[in-house]
Amino acid sequence: MGLGTADDQAAKSDIVLVVRHLCKSFVTKKGAPAQWALDDVSLEAHAGRVTGLVGADGAGKTTLIRTAAGLLLPTSGTVTVLGLDSAKEAIEIQRRVGYMPQKFGLYQDLSVDENMTLYADLQGVPMAERPERFQRLLRMTDLTAFTRRRAGALSGGMKQKLGLACALIKSPRMLLLDEPTVGVDPVSRRELWKIVYALVEKEGIGVLLSTAYLDEAERCQHVVLLHEGRNLDEGAPQKFKDRIRGRVFLITPPADVKPRQIQNHMAGQKGIIDATIRSGRVRVVTEHGWGAQVAETLPAAWRPHIREALPQFEDAFMALIPRRQGHFQIDPHPAVRKGLPQDEVVVQTRGLEKWFGAFEAVKHLSFEVRRGEIFGLLGPNGAGKSTTFRMLCGLLSASGGEIRVAGHDLRRSGAQARAHLGYMAQQFSLYGQLSVAENLTFYGRAYGLGDPKLRERLAWADAEFDLARWRATPAGQLPGGYKQRLAMAAALLHEPDIIFLDEPTSGVDPLARREFWLRINGFAEQGVTVVVTTHFMEESEYCDRMLIMSQGASLAMGTPAEIRKLVRTPDRPDPTIEDAFVALALGEVIPGGHAADNGKGDSP
Amino acid sequence: MSRSALFLMRMRGFLRKEVLQIYRDPSSIALAIFLPMVLLFIFGYGVSLDAEDVPLAVVLDDPGPEARDFAARYDLSIYFHTHYAKSIIEAERWMTQRRVEGIVHIPQGFAADLLAGRTAKVQIIINGVDANRARLIQGYSHGILQKWTEVRQARGEPALRPAATVTQRVWFNESSISRNYLVPGLITLIMTLTGILLTALVVAREWERGTMEAILVTPLRRIDLLLGKVLPYYVLGMLGMVLSVVVGIFLFGVPFRGSILALLFLSSLFMLASLGFGLLISAVIRVQFVAAQISIVAGYLPALFLSGLLFDLDSTPRFIQIISYILPAKYFVTISHTLFMTGNVWPLLLPNALALASMATLFIALAYRNITKRLDG
């Protein structure tokens, strides 16, 4: 904001995008009130820099990018791209910008080369320029060896890179990228960013990019923080971080304390905005003016372990977005459920395999989960997490190997095993037209809960998940976070001792994601075993142990600390789980063996 | 580059993409080639409006040679399969149990009456549940009686005295085989279904897979999109049509008396109308499943029941007839029947062709109007 200074005036000449008071509403049903996806948003993007649209799902990022691409008409306000009005001169804009939609717009039946030729034809790239241009784009995206492969047979990361190559086919002056890195493995994510930087620096392209990964905001030169259709704030990432200096702290857990316990203690304390686990430590953001007093909220034994930390963008984000009502408070003294033997192995697989035709989706996987553990299956889209997961729940049959759940062999006594399981599917799988209470009653009955028990559990669900005021609301009309609460309540209604959660935090805003993990922590403290999949690498910090998967195989298994330790080097003293994934996937480190210098090394 | 060079480049890219997709994704080929063949075989072999080997009870109460000779005519007929009953009681029981569909009762005194020159009586009872079939059986039976009379008269033997002689001649479908009538009608049905489904599904698929969103943000114009979808599927649909005609003529022995050129020209008009209708659906519906349902309900079913393909429209209520005027299939059924069984009767073909041409224009124009380069209409 504030385009007053001389520097800014100079920069004005290379403004590639101007959004002025943009509003966009959608009418979902006739007669229903319009949904405002964007509400009076103004922003600018410049040539030669990456402008990031940062926000949770439903913040309005996609709507804004689509409007800029001429795919949507503003309800009011204007979008000007390269000096052209997006409502009136869409086709002229489309000649000049590269656009990459969230769902890659690639033709799966066409090869890499054919996809690129198609877009070159559509964009009118002269034949003479093509060989050189294609070669350069292929080299940039590392796809030279795959020109004849069908797009459908590429990995998720390669698809994204091909999508980017297609968007760049005409050397556009501006790039619109809608969540180009979502669900992509960390290695490909880093490569995509490298390409974007190269374009910005060498060719001076203006990039408008949306992302739900808060760590990616730091990679942008300018960040616009969208929240529920409004521009909350914008500026360089550093500006966001500077503002909360002195309000961010790290607590290193003492020897006998789990980070989770500290997190549970801190979350919901007065003056504490955010408490997360990062690299084995608890990261805390305080409210304005509370930084000096943060140590007082800790028990005396923990106080020496707290120190101030440099703010990250995520901390600033959490401090900026408005809290919603009914903020979750964790019970600091959970009651351990009785009658559950501790330390018993409840889920066990040995040599688990799954073949789909000639494709091996899961390769010889063996692991164990103990009672009361939070066990994470981690990996990018397409790593085989969901397939493994469905086999564990008995939804898919294994092609080979053994699975035992709660002491039952899933192949022989699936039904008995299932009575112990709670399952929350990746997609919202409740009945949208039924009310909250009706959905819960249905699930309770399906699990055979009798009247008194059902009443007791419904009361529990109302209290635990703060669902009481939504009882009569049709499930389909719940706000996002509450849908997820309801799904979880339904999965837990029959008091399972093992719960399986498939990508529970996918498409959920950061606030709801934190709340979700606090709840999970709570259940684990009560002795419930939790098996969870996620593609958010940093979420694995909440797990007791995890299995990192890539292309159907296990890359590494262990506690977050063990995994991080695998990849610790002198130049990387404090690696994140994402660093670990990248190092493991690239073969820089062989779990159980030594670091390999040439990336190959001998197998353990 | 000039505007037309750019246009040609876009079209080339778009068409090549469609051809590659058709070639690699079997669903379009299945729709254009396999589906017509399945329909053709089901209707060609499975559905017949003819009656053959109709089970018939014969009650021979008269032992005379004339009576037996008359009954033998039924034994020999290809239309009937006779079962001799001991009495009319037994025959009636068979009839109630649906083991036979008709009874020929030759009463006592048949031969005596015949030889004495009196009016000899034969009773024929037909199961009338299926009125059409009953009329067919009645017709065949009547034919046998008439033939027998003619033979006896020719030999100078006493015969049944016909009240009047009807000389019947069937034109255009001389042997009255229903297949000759069904197959040309069926080609109408096939073209309706494939034409609408091809475009409606292919466009909906692009929406579902997210490719539409990506190509909309290119300099592609609405007319490019229209042509790019109509041209390849016109060719594919016409291939299916030609294949159906070839199978009809050579496998089912259906006559074809018009000219091939006339067929190609007139069926092109119809194909364009179907494709245009499919595009119109696809402009509004972006989900394959719904697009398929609408194609069936708004395209296939009316073409099957209201186009005069199976049921004669003249005997339907007035409002059905009015509805049928807005169905392209109605016009093409007439064209197809005429070309197959009668020939190039231009006074009949032209008005129908005109109707098809205007409908094709209307649908394609409407589709063009509704094609949008935006996501929210």
Side-chain angles (χ1 to χ4, degrees):
Chain A
M1 304 260 108
L3 289 157
T5 69
D7 275 358
D8 284 337
Q9 289 298 340
K12 234 177 178 172
S13 58
D14 47 57
I15 288 178
V16 286
L17 170 84
V18 183
V19 178
R20 283 282 169 263
H21 304 294
L22 178 63
C23 296
K24 177 70 191 173
S25 68
F26 294 101
V27 180
T28 43
K29 242 189 283 174
K30 280 219 173 79
Q35 305 272 323
W36 289 92
L38 291 172
D39 187 2
D40 195 19
V41 172
S42 298
L43 58 95
E44 282 166 6
H46 292 255
R49 75 182 194 189
V50 183
T51 304
L53 283 177
V54 179
D57 277 53
K61 305 188 297 288
T62 297
T63 306
L64 199 151
I65 290 191
R66 283 177 167 172
T67 313
L71 284 171
L72 293 174
L73 280 177
T75 306
S76 68
T78 56
V79 179
T80 316
V81 180
L82 304 168
L84 298 157
D85 186 299
S86 82
K88 297 189 196 97
E89 297 158 298
I91 205 134
E92 290 305 316
I93 292 175
Q94 287 156 2
R95 269 185 217 292
R96 292 168 174 83
V97 303
Y99 169 66
M100 192 168 138
Q102 201 169 350
K103 237 163 116 191
F104 8 78
L106 298 169
Y107 289 92
Q108 312 281 316
D109 305 322
L110 267 55
S111 69
V112 169
D113 198 40
E114 286 159 355
N115 267 296
M116 288 174 70
T117 307
L118 168 66
Y119 282 97
D121 282 341
L122 294 181
Q123 289 285 6
V125 178
M127 296 306 279
E129 293 176 18
R130 288 190 193 182
E132 187 267 328
R133 174 86 45 88
F134 279 28
Q135 222 172 44
R136 194 167 53 88
L137 287 170
L138 287 168
R139 210 172 34 235
M140 189 166 84
T141 50
D142 263 336
L143 288 169
T144 313
F146 305 100
T147 48
R148 299 177 72 88
R149 190 181 288 191
R150 304 250 172 107
L154 296 175
S155 74
M158 283 156 97
K159 277 182 188 157
Q160 290 301 72
K161 286 192 281 185
L162 176 56
L164 191 55
C166 288
L168 288 170
I169 212 97
K170 209 197 169 174
S171 302
R173 290 183 50 205
M174 182 179 192
L175 254 184
L176 300 167
L177 306 175
D178 193 6
E179 301 213 17
T181 54
V182 73
V184 172
D185 67 277
V187 180
S188 305
R189 259 173 79 184
R190 289 180 186 196
E191 286 167 0
L192 275 165
W193 272 102
K194 223 183 271 173
I195 299 172
V196 170
Y197 282 141
L199 291 167
V200 167
E201 280 158 23
K202 291 199 193 116
E203 307 187 16
I205 293 181
V207 176
L208 180 69
L209 171 150
S210 71
T211 181
Y213 292 108
L214 295 175
D215 56 329
E216 288 192 341
E218 310 220 12
R219 299 173 185 249
C220 305
Q221 277 100 12
H222 185 83
V223 173
V224 177
L225 204 161
L226 282 185
H227 184 71
E228 291 174 354
R230 289 167 174 275
N231 178 350
L232 275 194
D233 202 353
E234 62 181 307
Q238 196 56 45
K239 177 191 136 190
F240 284 87
K241 294 195 281 187
D242 286 347
R243 203 181 302 154
I244 56 160
R245 197 172 282 270
R247 289 165 58 189
V248 184
F249 300 89
L250 275 177
I251 307 167
T252 312
D256 54 337
V257 182
K258 281 186 184 176
R260 207 155 74 200
Q261 291 168 312
I262 300 177
Q263 187 205 7
N264 282 358
H265 173 84
M266 293 308 283
Q269 293 272 8
K270 205 164 162 51
I272 302 295
I273 288 176
D274 189 31
T276 54
I277 305 179
R278 291 287 180 269
S279 300
R281 290 185 283 260
V282 177
R283 192 175 183 90
V284 174
V285 182
T286 70
E287 287 193 24
H288 192 70
W290 284 76
Q293 306 151 49
V294 64
E296 290 159 29
T297 58
L298 288 170
W302 296 355
R303 278 183 203 163
H305 299 272
I306 189 164
R307 64 176 167 84
E308 200 186 318
L310 279 180
Q312 289 178 350
F313 182 82
E314 184 170 359
D315 305 321
F317 178 89
M318 293 309 296
L320 258 176
I321 53 174
R323 306 280 110 172
R324 63 168 73 87
Q325 291 176 318
H327 188 54
F328 181 63
Q329 302 284 322
I330 189 111
D331 176 4
H333 307 291
V336 176
R337 252 200 254 168
K338 294 192 180 71
L340 295 174
Q342 298 295 307
D343 263 1
E344 170 205 14
V345 173
V346 286
V347 179
Q348 184 175 37
T349 75
R350 213 173 283 148
L352 187 62
E353 284 178 9
K354 181 67 190 179
W355 292 82
F356 292 111
F359 173 67
E360 193 174 12
V362 173
K363 299 170 185 163
H364 214 81
L365 220 54
S366 302
F367 61 87
E368 289 178 349
V369 183
R370 290 175 186 281
R371 168 108 36 224
E373 255 188 339
I374 301 180
F375 188 83
L377 282 173
L378 215 71
N381 289 349
K385 300 187 304 279
S386 288
T387 308
T388 306
F389 213 72
R390 290 185 181 141
M391 288 191 286
L392 291 178
C393 306
L395 293 172
L396 264 181
S397 61
S399 310
E402 266 179 54
I403 308 178
R404 294 185 72 81
V405 173
H408 297 278
D409 183 339
L410 263 194
R411 291 193 172 181
R412 294 198 195 88
S413 45
Q416 277 161 295
R418 237 167 274 175
H420 294 270
L421 304 183
Y423 173 66
M424 184 173 152
Q426 184 171 356
Q427 277 157 350
F428 181 68
S429 55
L430 299 169
Y431 299 95
Q433 288 90 356
L434 296 190
S435 72
V436 167
E438 285 160 348
N439 264 299
L440 288 175
T441 307
F442 168 76
Y443 275 92
R445 295 270 184 242
Y447 278 109
L449 298 186
D451 261 338
K453 187 72 187 164
L454 183 64
R455 261 200 304 277
E456 181 200 319
R457 293 304 287 167
L458 288 181
W460 166 84
D462 283 350
E464 179 76 31
F465 293 96
D466 188 26
L467 287 170
R469 64 200 165 105
W470 301 99
R471 290 195 75 140
T473 311
Q477 290 171 24
L478 287 176
Y482 279 90
K483 274 187 188 164
Q484 192 219 22
R485 291 185 194 191
L486 175 60
M488 200 160 160
L492 288 165
L493 213 57
H494 62 296
E495 295 182 270
D497 38 288
I498 308 168
I499 50 179
F500 288 94
L501 309 164
D502 195 3
E503 295 275 356
T505 50
S506 180
V508 178
D509 67 73
L511 264 182
R513 273 165 57 193
R514 280 166 165 68
E515 191 185 298
F516 170 85
W517 279 106
L518 284 174
R519 254 181 240 284
I520 291 294
N521 285 353
F523 290 125
E525 293 293 317
Q526 291 169 29
V528 176
T529 312
V530 181
V531 181
V532 57
T533 67
T534 178
H535 66 263
F536 290 103
M537 296 286 157
E538 77 272 12
E539 287 192 344
S540 60
E541 295 283 358
Y542 298 102
C543 302
D544 292 302
R545 287 193 313 128
M546 62 178 139
L547 174 70
I548 300 189
M549 290 185 77
S550 176
Q551 295 168 28
S554 160
L555 277 184
M557 185 161 62
T559 64
E562 284 165 0
I563 302 266
R564 280 194 309 272
K565 205 173 139 197
L566 277 178
V567 299
R568 189 171 298 151
T569 58
D571 11 313
R572 194 168 49 203
D574 198 10
T576 62
I577 294 291
E578 179 167 330
D579 295 328
F581 181 95
V582 172
L584 289 162
L586 295 176
E588 288 168 14
V589 183
I590 305 294
H594 306 282
D597 324 52
N598 56 1
K600 285 198 180 100
D602 36 25
S603 300
Chain B
M1 262 188 290
S2 69
R3 287 178 59 131
S4 57
L6 282 172
F7 168 74
L8 287 177
M9 189 187 275
R10 288 197 303 267
M11 282 314 291
R12 184 190 60 189
F14 203 95
L15 291 177
R16 178 162 51 198
K17 175 217 103 184
E18 291 291 338
V19 170
L20 284 171
Q21 278 194 304
I22 291 169
Y23 175 68
R24 290 188 189 149
D25 181 348
S27 67
S28 306
I29 300 212
L31 212 62
I33 310 291
F34 188 66
L35 180 73
M37 289 304 109
V38 169
L39 281 175
L40 214 66
F41 281 100
I42 290 176
F43 277 73
Y45 286 122
V47 180
S48 170
L49 301 182
D50 306 328
E52 252 176 58
D53 281 337
V54 177
L56 196 69
V58 178
V59 185
L60 204 54
D61 281 347
D62 187 313
E66 285 77 12
R68 252 178 285 145
D69 183 41
F70 177 63
R73 296 282 151 184
Y74 281 91
D75 298 348
L76 294 172
S77 161
I78 58 156
Y79 299 117
F80 295 113
H81 189 82
T82 51
H83 303 272
Y84 282 83
K86 287 194 207 78
S87 65
I88 185 73
I89 315 261
E90 188 181 32
E92 279 171 9
R93 200 177 66 237
W94 288 352
M95 184 91 148
T96 340
Q97 293 167 356
R98 302 206 82 173
R99 285 163 64 187
V100 295
E101 289 185 48
I103 302 171
V104 179
H105 184 203
I106 306 170
Q108 210 157 20
F110 173 80
D113 282 344
L114 192 71
L115 295 174
R118 290 192 294 270
T119 308
K121 288 181 203 122
V122 182
Q123 185 187 21
I124 293 168
I125 305 168
I126 300 166
N127 181 348
V129 170
D130 180 345
N132 267 322
R133 196 169 165 84
R135 266 194 294 282
L136 274 174
I137 297 171
Q138 192 182 0
Y140 295 149
S141 183
H142 188 77
I144 286 176
L145 193 70
Q146 198 169 348
K147 198 95 183 168
W148 187 64
T149 308
E150 281 166 23
V151 170
R152 284 187 70 90
Q153 275 171 342
R155 288 204 298 241
E157 292 164 347
L160 297 170
R161 253 179 301 164
T165 315
V166 178
T167 311
Q168 205 176 347
R169 276 209 56 197
V170 178
W171 279 17
F172 308 132
N173 186 4
E174 291 79 359
S175 40
S176 299
I177 301 171
S178 67
R179 191 184 281 159
N180 290 356
Y181 166 81
L182 277 179
V183 168
L186 189 58
I187 287 169
T188 313
L189 195 64
I190 287 170
M191 290 178 67
T192 307
L193 193 58
T194 54
I196 297 177
L197 273 180
L198 276 175
T199 40
L201 287 189
V202 160
V203 177
R205 194 169 62 196
E206 291 226 22
W207 281 113
E208 276 183 10
R209 295 190 183 167
T211 48
M212 190 59 102
E213 186 175 337
I215 59 168
L216 287 185
V217 188
T218 64
L220 201 71
R221 283 164 190 276
R222 296 193 300 149
I223 189 74
D224 306 353
L225 213 54
L226 183 86
L227 288 175
K229 287 295 175 191
V230 167
L231 288 179
Y233 295 99
Y234 164 76
V235 173
L236 193 62
M238 289 300 278
L239 272 179
M241 187 280 295
V242 168
L243 193 68
S244 306
V245 170
V246 168
V247 169
I249 295 174
F250 293 101
L251 190 69
F252 293 122
V254 176
F256 184 79
R257 296 182 176 126
S259 77
I260 299 286
L261 273 179
L263 177 72
L264 285 179
F265 169 63
L266 295 168
S267 59
S268 290
L269 293 177
F270 182 54
M271 184 48 83
L272 288 174
S274 292
L275 291 170
F277 190 63
L279 270 182
L280 193 57
I281 292 177
S282 76
V284 190
I285 306 295
R286 295 171 180 182
V287 184
Q288 287 192 73
F289 178 72
V290 181
Q293 277 195 323
I294 292 188
S295 305
I296 302 268
V297 172
Y300 177 80
L301 292 180
L304 180 62
F305 294 116
L306 305 181
S307 66
L309 176 160
L310 280 181
F311 309 109
D312 185 15
L313 283 175
D314 291 332
S315 52
T316 53
R318 187 83 198 126
F319 75 95
I320 295 279
Q321 292 184 30
I322 292 171
I323 291 176
S324 78
Y325 282 107
I326 59 165
L327 295 178
K330 172 201 154 73
Y331 303 99
F332 193 66
V333 162
T334 311
I335 289 175
S336 177
H337 280 153
T338 308
L339 283 178
F340 271 89
M341 290 187 288
T342 318
N344 291 351
V345 188
W346 288 107
L348 176 61
L349 295 177
L350 272 182
N352 285 296
L354 208 65
L356 280 183
S358 33
M359 292 183 117
T361 316
L362 176 74
F363 286 147
I364 291 182
L366 279 178
Y368 179 69
R369 255 185 62 148
N370 280 292
I371 288 178
T372 161
K373 280 213 55 179
R374 296 188 204 281
L375 296 174
D376 55 352

